[in-house]
């Protein structure tokens, strides 16, 4: 597939991937609205793609993702891990 440069087209291979991608984006959008920030200030698409690819299950695994430093780990790990872990349960 040619890379379009946007979204996660390059790594979405299954309906589950597509659903998780949309849920991660929705989580980012909700957090951004709550904090009155643009979504990319929460996490950029690169980080969301890494979440989709690696599906971290723990804070330690989440901390290894590109774009996740101490502050973002503290503020956002629980929300995004919740989305990923919830997806695993489906």
């Amino acid at each position: 597939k040619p890379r379009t440069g946007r979204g996660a087209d390059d790594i979405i291979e299954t309906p589950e991937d597509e659903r998780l991608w949309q849920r991660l984006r929705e989580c980012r959008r909700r957090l951004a609205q709550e904090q009155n920030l643009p979504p990319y200030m929460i996490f950029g698409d690169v980080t969301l793609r890494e979440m989709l690819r690696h599906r971290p299950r723990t804070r330690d695994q989440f901390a290894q993702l590109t774009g996740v430093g101490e502050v973002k780990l503290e503020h956002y790990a629980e929300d995004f891990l919740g989305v990923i872990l919830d997806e695993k349960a489906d």
Side-chain angles (χ1 to χ4, degrees), residues 5-87:
R6 65 186 241 315
D9 297 343
D10 52 334
I11 60 168
I12 290 177
E13 296 174 356
T14 66
E16 291 77 23
D17 289 347
E18 176 64 33
R19 187 172 64 232
L20 179 55
W21 174 249
Q22 295 304 329
R23 291 176 71 190
L24 290 169
R25 292 182 71 232
E26 180 53 41
C27 181
R28 176 177 67 179
R29 189 168 31 250
R30 178 179 53 78
L31 291 167
Q33 285 175 341
E34 287 171 6
Q35 297 173 49
N36 206 19
L37 292 170
Y40 73 86
M41 295 291 289
I42 306 294
F43 286 120
D45 281 357
V46 169
T47 307
L48 293 191
R49 280 198 293 271
E50 287 204 6
M51 290 180 205
L52 183 61
R53 182 178 292 122
H54 300 294
R55 288 174 165 75
R57 301 227 263 288
T58 66
R59 285 176 66 92
D60 285 344
Q61 290 172 344
F62 194 84
Q64 302 305 309
L65 301 174
T66 300
V68 179
E70 279 300 311
V71 172
K72 289 189 178 188
L73 180 66
E74 199 53 48
H75 284 95
Y76 306 128
E78 200 171 298
D79 290 286
F80 285 95
L81 285 171
V83 170
I84 294 163
L85 293 170
D86 193 47
E87 190 69 19

